[in-house]
């Protein structure tokens, strides 16, 4: 029953052989959920029992693992057999029920059967007899790996520590180990898809380390240990996932049907990547960290793993999703629910910490969104550090010799959630999750939204990044740790690097760059020419071959946006023309923002070159770099930038893409700097940076209106920015309707707080706020100049 990884992953050898050597005493532990199963096991024993004289064979039932009673009781015979002075070999037996074969010869479960007849792998008494009579090949005896009693006794003592009286008794421990060994054996019949934990609550609650943590916490809080333990048990029940093979199959099929309504049956991903990930999972626990754009993200990644025979990840979900009936289904399919806020609940934090430790130690895969919640703007959000800090702490204390972080990007051609995101950016409330909300979400999946693309980034090894673990270290899941934050940002960089560019994202990028003009198909194709060339020559990731240099390809992309209401088409004239729909700029920007990170450094270079051309400085090259770094700092809450040195290299590569000999231009005067800028094709700053900088300008002006001696209420302040921004749009003081965004305002306010511009009564606060506004206004002025250059190029006035 030790269950080494080699044994768990080896192919099933057919009917089990008799355990042990001839003449050795064997105790068979029978896991039977019915009288029929008990007879099947007894028949197997009678047929395979050794005929040698002196061979001693005993059998004792253990609590059934299927159709388990609420309060299972141990049979007294097991305790008697374990109390003798001998060292028998303990070998567990179970009956496994296999699903019927399909026409293709595979054993699989149909959703109709799951819904109406129940799980064929866990049949009731009547169904067991019918299967045994009509399809005896579906009834198999499986044997778990045997273990000597002496070995199990030593493992029991090690697990219980010094306080054996307060933990699991030896018979209970043996029965649990037998059930786990049988799970591993049966998994060889069913496949790795059903590798799920068993006895999670019992194992965690019985661990000496967990009990010691609760005892120390009880003393610190001045509460009784018994009350703290009861609350911890309730918290663990609230958090932990409880897996069911039947629900795993059922939920996976429901997920497939749900996303297929809008995106078709086929998910676009590289199966070889998943094969490599599966190989990694045999050695180390994995942590999948996907981007979060849609409520379909979890179903999509989940089904991709399922159809490749991989087990479900233990996925962290917000407690807001734990509503009936979705919550109970998700919990039984691998989702564990955690509260949004629990920093002041010390008991809850200890329970969650030990739950993560348990999953890492048992090599179960985890999953959560590094951003915390769904992106309302399309860009990757700043990372959240809490759960990553728990994982890093678990690794650091030796719960595993390595943990592999798997960055993942889930990209959609279009998303049904975008109208909700637009409403929230304009100040509307977030709709509360409920069953009615879920039905409305599914109902919206009736339009065709294109394809779904999954891209896995380069795995990140904690052993390689952090060095070897220190098993003697004290628990300290510090989410303010610089190490944790660097890991999180590296994960985000790797997500961005593999996020594929879709035709939708490029078309919206082009349309948002021409202001309010409507374009024909040919004009749109022309506007896309340099963008497509840039993507291809820089070898940026795409969803496939970009068919945007043909009229048919461009028209297909435009028509898809028309169907979803993002773009309008005027076809009453001699030629159909297309434009961003009224009040749909934020929706179009959402798709542009999914790939905007590929173009930000180039946009910064354009603004920095304009600054250099205007600055009377002796060293244009150094001033170009310094101004780029200042702009990088201005936008650091919007985009993920590399470190300063790596950013310098990225800047140089970006400029060299447009002009390999760029440095010689900076040895001349202003005209040479302008000439270098005109080498850029396409210009990007006006369509990439304008909405963010204009939103920052609104916040800077609102700060100047706010009394510097009064504290600032963030929610009220952000609410006041919305009408101010709408006024500026009407006055044409800002040119992008997309700039009216609560998400952008919030990031601008974060920047202001970072620059100590919110502290009431701070020295020179009003002057520093004016300087902040002037800095942003100057950047916006340069964006206007780039826009003018782009317009002149379109009109043929300039190169």
């Amino acid at each position: 029953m030790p269950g080494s990884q080699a044994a768990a992953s080896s192919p099933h050898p057919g009917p089990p052989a008799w355990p042990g050597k001839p003449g050795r005493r064997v105790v068979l532990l029978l896991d039977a959920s019915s009288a029929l199963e008990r007879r099947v096991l007894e028949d197997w024993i009678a047929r395979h029992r050794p005929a040698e004289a002196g061979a001693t064979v005993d059998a004792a039932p253990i609590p059934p693992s299927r159709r388990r009673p609420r309060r299972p009781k141990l049979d007294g015979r097991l305790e008697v057999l374990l109390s003798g002075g001998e060292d028998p070999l303990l070998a567990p037996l179970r009956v496994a029920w296999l699903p019927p074969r399909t026409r293709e010869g595979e054993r699989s479960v149909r959703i109709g059967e799951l819904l109406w007849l129940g799980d064929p792998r866990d049949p009731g008494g009547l169904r067991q007899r019918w299967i045994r009579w009509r399809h005896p090949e579906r009834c198999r005896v499986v044997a778990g790996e045997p273990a000597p009693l002496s070995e199990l006794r030593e493992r029991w003592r090690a697990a219980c520590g010094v306080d054996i009286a307060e933990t699991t008794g030896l018979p209970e421990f043996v029965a649990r180990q037998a059930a786990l060994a049988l799970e591993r054996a049966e998994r060889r019949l069913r496949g790795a898809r059903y590798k799920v934990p068993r006895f999670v609550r019992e194992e965690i609650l019985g661990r000496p380390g967990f009990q010691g943590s609760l005892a120390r916490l009880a003393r610190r809080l001045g509460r009784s240990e018994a009350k703290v333990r009861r609350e911890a048990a309730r918290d663990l029940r609230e958090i932990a996932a409880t897996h069911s093979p039947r629900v795993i199959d059922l939920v996976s099929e429901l997920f497939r049907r749900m996303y297929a309504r809008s995106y078709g049956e086929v998910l676009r991903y590289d199966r070889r990547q998943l094969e490599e990930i599966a190989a990694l999972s045999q050695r180390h626990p994995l942590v999948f960290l996907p981007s979060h754009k849609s409520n379909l993200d979890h179903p999509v990644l989940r089904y991709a793993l399922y159809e490749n025979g991989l087990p479900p990840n233990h996925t962290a979900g917000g407690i807001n999703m734990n509503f009936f009936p979705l919550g109970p289904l998700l919990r039984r399919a691998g989702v564990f629910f955690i509260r949004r806020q629990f920093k002041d609940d010390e008991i809850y934090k200890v329970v969650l910490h030990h739950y993560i430790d348990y999953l890492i130690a048992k090599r179960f895969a985890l999953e959560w969104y590094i951003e915390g919640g769904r992106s309302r703007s399309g860009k990757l959000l700043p990372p959240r550090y809490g759960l990553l800090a728990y994982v890093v702490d678990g690794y650091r204390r030796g719960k595993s010799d390595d943990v592999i972080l798997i960055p993942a990007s889930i990209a959609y051609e279009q998303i049904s959630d975008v109208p909700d995101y637009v409403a929230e950016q304009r100040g509307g409330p977030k709709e509360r999750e409920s069953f009615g909300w879920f039905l409305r979400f599914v109902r919206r999946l009736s339009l065709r939204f294109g394809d779904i693309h999954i891209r896995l980034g380069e795995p990140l090894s904690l052993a390689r990044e952090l060095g070897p673990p220190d098993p003697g270290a004290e628990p300290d899941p510090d989410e303010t740790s610089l190490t944790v934050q660097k890991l999180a940002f590296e994960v985000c960089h790797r997500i961005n690097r593999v996020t594929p560019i879709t035709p939708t994202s490029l078309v919206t990028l082009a349309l948002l760059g021409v202001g309010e003009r409507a374009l024909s198909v040919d004009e749109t194709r022309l506007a896309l020419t340099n963008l497509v060339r840039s993507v291809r020559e820089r070898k940026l990731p795409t969803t496939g071959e970009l068919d945007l240099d043909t009229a048919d390809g461009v028209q297909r992309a435009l028509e898809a946006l028309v169907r979803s209401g993002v773009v309008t088409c005027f076809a009453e004239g001699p030629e159909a023309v297309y434009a961003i729909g009224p009040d749909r700029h934020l929706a179009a920007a959402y798709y542009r923002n999914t790939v905007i990170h590929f173009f930000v450094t180039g946009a910064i270079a354009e603004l920095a070159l304009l600054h250099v051309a205007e600055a009377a400085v002796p060293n244009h090259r150094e001033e170009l770099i310094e101004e780029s770094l200042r702009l990088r700092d201005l936008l650091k809450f919007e985009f993920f930038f590399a470190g300063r040195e790596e950013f310098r290299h990225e800047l140089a590569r970006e400029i060299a893409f447009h002009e390999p000999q760029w440095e010689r231009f900076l040895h001349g005067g202003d005209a040479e700097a302008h000439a270098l800028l005109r080498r850029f094709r396409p210009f990007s700053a006006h369509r990439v940076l304008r909405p963010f900088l204009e939103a920052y300008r609104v916040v800077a002006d609102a700060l100047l209106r706010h009394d510097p001696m009064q504290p600032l209420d963030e929610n009220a302040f952000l609410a006041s920015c919305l009408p101010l921004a709408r006024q500026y749009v009407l006055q044409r003081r800002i040119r992008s309707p997309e700039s009216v965004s609560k998400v952008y305002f919030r990031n601008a306010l974060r920047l202001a707080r970072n620059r100590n511009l919110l502290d009431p009564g701070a020295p020179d606060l009003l002057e520093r706020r004016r300087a902040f506004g002037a800095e942003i206004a100057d950047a916006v002025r340069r964006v206007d100049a780039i826009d003018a250059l782009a317009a002149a190029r379109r009109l043929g006035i300039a190169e």
Side-chain angles (χ1 to χ4, degrees), residues 532-539 545-549:
V532 173
R533 179 187 65 83
S534 173
V535 168
R536 288 174 177 163
E537 292 184 5
R538 293 165 64 190
K539 294 182 172 57
E545 183 59 33
L546 292 174
D547 187 20
L548 294 176
D549 38 17

Side-chain angles (χ1 to χ4, degrees), residues 45 161 230 354 501 577 584 598 609 704 722 735 766 795:
I45 295 170
R230 283 196 296 271
H354 280 267
I501 295 173
V577 292
R584 302 296 289 169
F598 290 119
L609 277 170
L704 283 173
L722 288 167
R735 295 169 59 180
L766 191 57
L795 295 171

Side-chain angles (χ1 to χ4, degrees), residues 27-42:
V27 175
L28 297 168
L29 306 178
L30 308 185
D31 178 354
S33 66
S34 68
L36 175 62
E37 289 190 353
R38 177 66 180 268
R39 287 198 302 273
V40 170
L41 295 178
E42 290 172 346

Side-chain angles (χ1 to χ4, degrees), residues 502-516:
T502 65
T504 299
S505 61
L506 279 190
V507 168
T508 51
L509 179 60
L511 291 179
L512 287 167
V514 297
E516 300 299 317

